[in-house]
Amino acid sequence: MNEMFFRLPEEKQQRIINAGIEVFSSHEYKRASTDEIARKACISKGLLFHYFHNKKSFYLYLLDYTVSLVKNYIMDMKYEDITDFFEVLYYIAEKKAVILAKTPHIMAFFIKCYYSQNETASDEVQNKMHSQINSSFEKYMKNVDLGKFKEEIDPKEIYNMLIWMTEGFMYEKERIQETVLIPDLMHHYITWSNLLKKVSYKEEFL
């Protein structure tokens, strides 16, 4: 991408970013119109490509931007003080729920990215998404006491199970074209988390 984008006023940068997220969240990659993005951003299509060279470059930039936005919102001072595995995950889920409720297009964008297939950018998007998931355990659990788990339980497997259940829930909503409601998702997440805690923690920590 062109570094000139970062020299733009913050308001204009944000307008372009928001327009891109909105359009890519509403359409599959190949059907997302750069003309529509430019119109919503109040710039010319030529200027959009001047900043990002092409549609794929802009799409991948938006993915990096949104992942970083969510991560920075989660990892605050309060997060650093939490040492229980399930409390950390609940805190992360709550923080994500807040930011996704405030910016619903980001949630739809994530879903479109994660389940993109047979698209020009699919391989790179999938690699980025899986890399984030694989590195997130160490990143989020650096202050957590994993000694509460039963000896035969792998905490990372429990972590992955919660991710898979959450993803499966969102995928099913996407498949049947229903809106993912944050309170509904959080209700299910709490149920899954409590069940996994009961089977994975040593009795003295329940």
Side-chain angles (χ1 to χ4, degrees):
M1 62 176 293
N2 193 325
E3 290 299 318
M4 288 184 65
F5 175 73
F6 297 109
R7 299 177 193 168
L8 295 173
E10 181 66 26
E11 182 276 332
K12 189 170 184 178
Q13 288 185 43
Q14 202 59 54
R15 195 170 69 239
I16 295 170
I17 289 168
N18 290 343
I21 292 172
E22 181 180 351
V23 172
F24 282 120
S25 72
S26 303
H27 308 281
E28 295 177 355
Y29 174 82
K30 62 186 175 185
R31 298 182 186 279
S33 166
T34 49
D35 287 320
E36 185 179 0
I37 293 170
R39 180 178 59 78
K40 287 180 177 292
C42 300
I43 61 172
S44 68
K45 181 177 177 179
L47 199 53
L48 177 66
F49 285 149
H50 176 66
Y51 295 139
F52 293 99
H53 304 313
N54 56 44
K55 181 178 178 179
K56 180 179 176 181
S57 174
F58 184 42
Y59 184 63
L60 295 176
Y61 167 77
L62 291 177
L63 178 57
D64 287 338
Y65 171 86
T66 50
V67 167
S68 179
L69 180 70
V70 173
K71 182 187 75 173
N72 291 338
Y73 185 72
I74 289 171
M75 301 182 77
D76 57 14
M77 291 182 65
K78 184 177 179 181
Y79 156 82
E80 296 285 344
D81 294 333
I82 305 173
T83 59
D84 182 82
F85 178 89
F86 289 98
E87 287 181 17
V88 164
L89 291 184
Y90 180 71
Y91 184 74
I92 291 170
E94 275 195 316
K95 296 283 278 187
K96 285 184 177 179
V98 170
I99 194 170
L100 294 175
K102 288 181 178 177
T103 52
H105 292 305
I106 288 182
M107 185 172 193
F109 176 69
F110 278 151
I111 294 172
K112 282 285 193 298
C113 286
Y114 194 84
Y115 294 109
S116 66
Q117 295 180 345
N118 303 318
E119 304 274 15
T120 305
S122 289
D123 288 345
E124 289 181 63
V125 168
Q126 292 299 314
N127 288 338
K128 282 178 177 287
M129 297 293 280
H130 290 141
S131 175
Q132 286 293 328
I133 291 171
N134 290 336
S135 65
S136 62
F137 180 83
E138 286 75 19
K139 178 174 60 186
Y140 290 139
M141 298 299 152
K142 61 181 180 180
N143 297 323
V144 167
D145 176 13
L146 299 179
K148 295 180 179 181
F149 283 91
K150 296 175 183 177
E151 298 298 330
E152 67 273 20
I153 299 295
D154 181 356
K156 193 167 186 178
E157 283 299 310
I158 301 298
Y159 178 77
N160 287 335
M161 287 173 70
L162 280 167
I163 291 176
W164 295 332
M165 284 187 280
T166 304
E167 288 174 354
F169 178 87
M170 293 193 295
Y171 177 76
E172 179 60 17
K173 292 293 185 181
E174 174 78 2
R175 187 186 68 80
I176 61 178
Q177 298 183 329
E178 282 189 7
T179 302
V180 177
L181 301 176
I182 298 297
D184 187 31
L185 176 58
M186 285 300 295
H187 171 75
H188 283 83
Y189 177 84
I190 291 168
T191 300
W192 303 327
S193 182
N194 288 338
L195 288 171
L196 288 173
K197 183 176 181 177
K198 287 178 181 179
V199 301
S200 62
Y201 262 19
K202 296 172 184 174
E203 189 172 343
E204 61 265 33
F205 296 113
L206 293 174

